[in-house]
Amino acid sequence: ERTNFDPNKTLSGVDQILELVLVEKTHSLWGLQLIIAFLCLCYVIAALIYASSSCATVVKTLLNFTVLINFVIGTLFLITILYPTTLKDLYIPSFLLCWPARDAITTATIQLVQRQALRAPNTFRAKVVSLFIFLICFSFTWVCLLHHFMRIDLRLSLFDTYWFVMVTITTVGYGDIAPSHWTTKLLVTIFIVAGVAILIPQVEELYAAFVLQQRLNNSIDYTKSLKHIIVCSTHMKPLVLRDFLTEFFSDPWHYDVHVVVLVENDLPSNLKLYLSHPVWKRRITVLIGTPLHQADLARASAQTAIACFLHTTRNQADPDTADQHTIMSAWAIRDYAPQCKLYVQILRPKNKIFLEMADHVVCEGELKNALLAASSHCPGMATLVTLLLHTFKPEELKSVPQNDPNWKLYSECALCEVHECRLGDTSKYFHQFVGENFLNAAAIAYKIY
């Protein structure tokens, strides 16, 4: 605030520039700004060290908005140390640092809200938090900016500037405060256009997320005349759901059955687009929830469902952890709806003993072993099936029981596998392997080539 301001005095052009460039500061405030500048440069150095793998990555990091703002403001503050008597009062828009901090604050706030709500993240809640923090940063930026530029024609307090920003951005316009200088008028014009151009799309996205969330959180109340099943998964992949729906509705007896998809996380955009097709829109209802919560099972009307299908997530880094989650979900569904038929998919054969209460269990590992064993009887099929089962890993042999009949059959027949290729004498390198046993051909090829 200026203590020697005279509202009746008109400032000259040079005085107006000096009024905007130089702002009187105390030494304590200047010292605090230097500390902030040091922290900003530390962040920039840490980001550059993290991205020092290649020159292109360093340049891309420097052009990042967060790193660039921290670097510019931190450097300007440190320059004031060179001539402290003159540059100490240099005006530097440090309020712009609220934008680099916005992403971190938004992420932390969303995680806190989700933890308090004991629910998985959803689009609407995240957009509410993101829009709220954006409005705070947007309003704070323009309050600071207008408060500084109005120094040349008005003497406003921070609260009066805040009042002017709120009245302007909400298009109320009481007219009690009005800028008179052309620079301030131009800045207010930019503020109004930016507010309309940015906030309207944000509000539209929030409304669309609200409508979608209302549909996802609705309870399903089915009568006995309308049959339905429940499909549960931690991470529902589009291809998995597409294959399930195509297989399920290929049976004419399932045409009148409704499918309730219960997922823990919000669906990806490509899956939402797929389910919006008229073929599936009237047959499928998507709910955000988990089988571990009885309230979500009640919303899905699990007690009146014909069956419940539990899909696991394939190619997990830890298959045992995925199976544990599936087993706990299966027990929760069985406790809540004992009469509902339960179909469960797991990854490891050793975990089948925990699912004896399920009506049917499909074990991916057991299915692989069975296919490998059955294909060993037919020459040439074992290699084909092995290539099709591209997720099969040698480490999985350790989890196979010693008395597994499928694996025992495969180990006995795999050595007799014969690969036939019709190359004749036209092939310079491989004609010598025609009709050879696979093990002999492999050993000869490895020795020669």
Side-chain angles (χ1 to χ4, degrees):
E1 297 291 342
R2 291 174 293 167
T3 57
N4 57 349
F5 176 76
D6 186 4
N8 298 320
K9 180 181 178 181
T10 303
L11 299 176
S12 63
V14 177
D15 292 336
Q16 290 177 357
I17 295 176
L18 293 176
E19 193 72 21
L20 295 177
V21 173
L22 299 178
V23 179
E24 184 178 354
K25 304 175 187 176
T26 61
H27 288 280
S28 58
L29 177 60
W30 181 52
L32 179 61
Q33 291 177 339
L34 291 179
I35 295 175
I36 295 176
F38 176 75
L39 296 176
C40 291
L41 292 180
C42 288
Y43 172 81
V44 174
I45 293 173
L48 292 178
I49 292 175
Y50 180 77
S52 60
S53 58
S54 64
C55 182
T57 309
V58 173
V59 174
K60 185 177 180 180
T61 303
L62 279 176
L63 296 178
N64 181 268
F65 176 76
T66 301
V67 177
L68 189 61
I69 288 293
N70 281 277
F71 176 74
V72 172
I73 293 179
T75 304
L76 290 177
F77 274 127
L78 290 183
I79 290 176
T80 60
I81 301 178
L82 301 177
Y83 302 97
T85 56
T86 304
L87 299 180
K88 176 179 70 70
D89 296 333
L90 180 66
Y91 177 75
I92 300 174
S94 56
F95 57 85
L96 293 178
L97 291 174
C98 67
W99 291 103
R102 169 176 166 251
D103 294 336
I105 296 174
T106 302
T107 303
T109 306
I110 290 175
Q111 292 177 354
L112 179 62
V113 171
Q114 305 295 354
R115 193 180 302 114
Q116 294 293 333
L118 295 177
R119 285 292 186 271
N122 61 75
T123 304
F124 175 69
R125 192 179 294 119
K127 284 191 175 296
V128 169
V129 175
S130 178
L131 180 60
F132 178 73
I133 296 178
F134 173 81
L135 289 176
I136 292 177
C137 294
F138 186 78
S139 303
F140 176 73
T141 300
W142 282 102
V143 166
C144 296
L145 196 61
L146 292 175
H147 178 266
H148 177 69
F149 273 84
M150 284 184 176
R151 294 163 59 89
I152 59 179
D153 59 349
L154 295 174
R155 187 176 187 272
L156 296 179
S157 64
L158 280 175
F159 182 79
D160 290 337
T161 310
Y162 162 77
W163 168 256
F164 173 75
V165 168
M166 290 296 103
V167 169
T168 304
I169 199 173
T170 55
T171 67
V172 176
Y174 286 113
D176 52 344
I177 301 175
S180 58
H181 197 271
W182 69 270
T183 55
T184 313
K185 291 181 179 179
L186 179 61
L187 195 63
V188 172
T189 303
I190 296 175
F191 164 64
I192 295 174
V193 173
V196 173
I198 295 176
L199 293 182
I200 290 180
Q202 295 271 355
V203 174
E204 290 180 352
E205 291 181 5
L206 181 65
Y207 176 73
F210 173 75
V211 173
L212 177 62
Q213 193 64 30
Q214 286 293 103
R215 185 170 63 88
L216 295 177
N217 288 336
N218 284 338
S219 299
I220 307 300
D221 186 16
Y222 291 108
T223 60
K224 293 183 179 180
S225 59
L226 183 60
K227 298 179 292 184
H228 75 285
I229 64 170
I230 302 175
V231 181
C232 305
S233 178
T234 306
H235 302 283
M236 182 63 71
K237 295 183 178 181
L239 292 179
V240 175
L241 183 59
R242 186 196 65 182
D243 294 341
F244 176 84
L245 295 176
T246 304
E247 178 96 14
F248 182 79
F249 286 109
S250 62
D251 190 342
W253 293 97
H254 296 161
Y255 285 169
D256 59 341
V257 178
H258 196 83
V259 177
V260 179
V261 181
L262 186 64
V263 290
E264 295 186 9
N265 301 311
D266 197 9
L267 297 178
S269 57
N270 55 349
L271 187 54
K272 293 179 182 178
L273 181 62
Y274 176 73
L275 294 180
S276 62
H277 193 277
V279 175
W280 309 119
K281 195 170 184 179
R282 295 182 177 274
R283 295 180 174 182
I284 300 172
T285 300
V286 181
L287 299 179
I288 300 296
T290 171
L292 298 177
H293 293 163
Q294 290 190 0
D296 295 331
L297 292 176
R299 289 169 46 226
S301 298
Q303 292 183 345
T304 59
I306 301 175
C308 182
F309 297 85
L310 273 173
H311 284 266
T312 190
T313 305
R314 299 181 59 192
N315 302 329
Q316 285 280 356
D318 188 3
D320 289 327
T321 302
D323 282 351
Q324 290 172 8
H325 187 277
T326 304
I327 292 169
M328 293 181 63
S329 300
W331 276 104
I333 296 173
R334 177 58 71 205
D335 291 340
Y336 182 80
Q339 74 286 353
C340 180
K341 291 185 178 180
L342 193 57
Y343 300 87
V344 186
Q345 176 193 7
I346 59 173
L347 302 176
R348 296 297 183 101
K350 63 180 182 180
N351 296 324
K352 287 185 65 177
I353 60 174
F354 303 106
L355 294 170
E356 295 180 354
M357 79 298 184
D359 295 275
H360 190 74
V361 179
V362 176
C363 178
E364 185 177 282
E366 191 176 57
L367 181 60
K368 290 179 182 179
N369 297 337
L371 287 174
L372 288 172
S375 63
S376 300
H377 289 283
C378 180
M381 286 300 296
T383 303
L384 175 62
V385 174
T386 304
L387 294 176
L388 293 176
L389 299 176
H390 57 277
T391 58
F392 183 79
K393 300 177 182 179
E395 292 79 6
E396 296 182 5
L397 301 180
K398 300 178 182 179
S399 62
V400 178
Q402 297 293 334
N403 56 352
D404 189 351
N406 293 323
W407 185 251
K408 183 178 179 181
L409 178 60
Y410 173 72
S411 60
E412 293 176 354
C413 300
L415 296 178
C416 301
E417 178 69 12
V418 176
H419 294 257
E420 182 180 0
C421 50
R422 301 182 182 276
L423 299 176
D425 298 330
T426 59
S427 178
K428 180 178 179 181
Y429 297 100
F430 302 109
H431 69 277
Q432 55 182 325
F433 301 117
V434 176
E436 285 284 349
N437 179 277
F438 178 77
L439 294 179
N440 296 335
I444 296 173
Y446 178 80
K447 183 177 180 180
I448 297 176
Y449 302 108

